[in-house]
């Protein structure tokens, strides 16, 4: 009997309403769900069918991903958000940072879809670092102009410092910008499948 594939939950980054392209992962037999962040827009209740669940957060999505996983880690279960809004003031500049692999014209089309974002959510401390209990991987975007590689390495180092000797496995990708799902959704799906140990 082949092992049951995990359920995949996509958690978008800051400012982003959920419009992830999930077709590539679905085409490979994964059941893929999306979450509208309360700090960006609406919310959804996740189903519970006794299956394993894999969280795939994008950038800032790691913060709400951790919060939402509180109390749900297998190891934990076995033992037993107000304020104003932030918005992008210079869309062309934001597109050049986050969509560096697209032309300025193409980037601006997508940047216009970014919405407002809860200001308070950026200032609140993380109350639960889910990676302490749940194995974590990192899609390492080598030419990311928003989260530069040095910063990404520091973030990974901070995670590993509380992971009791476990490592964050890096999955490097080149020639793509910060919003990889938008500019290269097939590459995104491929790297997620690779992180799941799938070769198909
Ligand atoms: C990709 O993600 C960005 C930002 O996270 C989002 O705004 C965009 O709609 C997504 N695009 C696709 C094609 O999934
Ligand atoms: C774009 O990049 C800036 C600077 O790194 C970041 O603050 C912002 O959240 C990014 N926007 C998106 C939609 O990823």
């Amino acid at each position: 009997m082949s092992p049951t594939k995990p359920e995949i939950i996509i958690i978008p980054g800051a400012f982003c309403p959920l419009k992830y392209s999930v077709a590539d992962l679905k085409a490979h037999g994964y059941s893929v769900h999306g979450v509208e962040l309360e700090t960006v827009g609406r919310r959804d209740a996740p189903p519970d069918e006794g299956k394993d669940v894999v969280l795939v957060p994008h950038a800032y999505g790691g913060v709400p991903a951790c919060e939402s996983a509180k109390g749900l880690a297998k190891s934990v279960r076995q033992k037993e958000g107000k304020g104003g809004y932030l918005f992008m003031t210079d869309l062309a500049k934001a597109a050049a940072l986050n969509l560096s692999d697209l032309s300025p014209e193409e980037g601006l089309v997508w940047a216009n879809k970014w919405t407002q974002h809860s200001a308070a959510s950026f200032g609140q401390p993380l109350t639960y670092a889910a990676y302490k209990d749940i194995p974590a991987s990192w899609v390492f975007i080598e030419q990311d102009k928003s989260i530069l590689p040095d910063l990404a390495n520091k973030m990974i180092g901070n995670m590993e410092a509380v992971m009791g000797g476990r490592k964050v496995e890096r999955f490097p990708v080149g020639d793509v910008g910060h919003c990889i799902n938008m500019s290269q959704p097939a590459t995104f799906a491929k790297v997620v499948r690779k992180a799941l140990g799938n070769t198909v």
Side-chain angles (χ1 to χ4, degrees), residues 100-114:
S100 53
D101 54 332
L102 297 182
S103 71
E105 297 74 29
E106 230 182 330
L108 209 52
V109 171
W110 284 104
N112 269 296
K113 298 180 199 291
W114 291 332

Side-chain angles (χ1 to χ4, degrees), residues 39 60 81-86 117-125:
T39 45
Y60 160 83
K82 289 166 177 160
Y85 282 86
L86 300 171
H117 196 284
S118 154
S121 66
F122 275 109
Q124 289 164 345

Side-chain angles (χ1 to χ4, degrees), residues 1 9-10 17 20 23-24 34 40 44 53 60 62 66 68 72-73 84 103 107 110 117 139 143 160 174 183 198:
M1 213 162 89
I9 299 179
I10 305 275
Y20 275 91
D24 294 275
V40 176
D44 256 0
V53 174
Y60 160 83
C66 281
S68 68
L72 297 177
S103 71
W110 284 104
H117 196 284
V139 178
Q143 277 100 44
E160 289 176 341
S183 51
N198 223 325

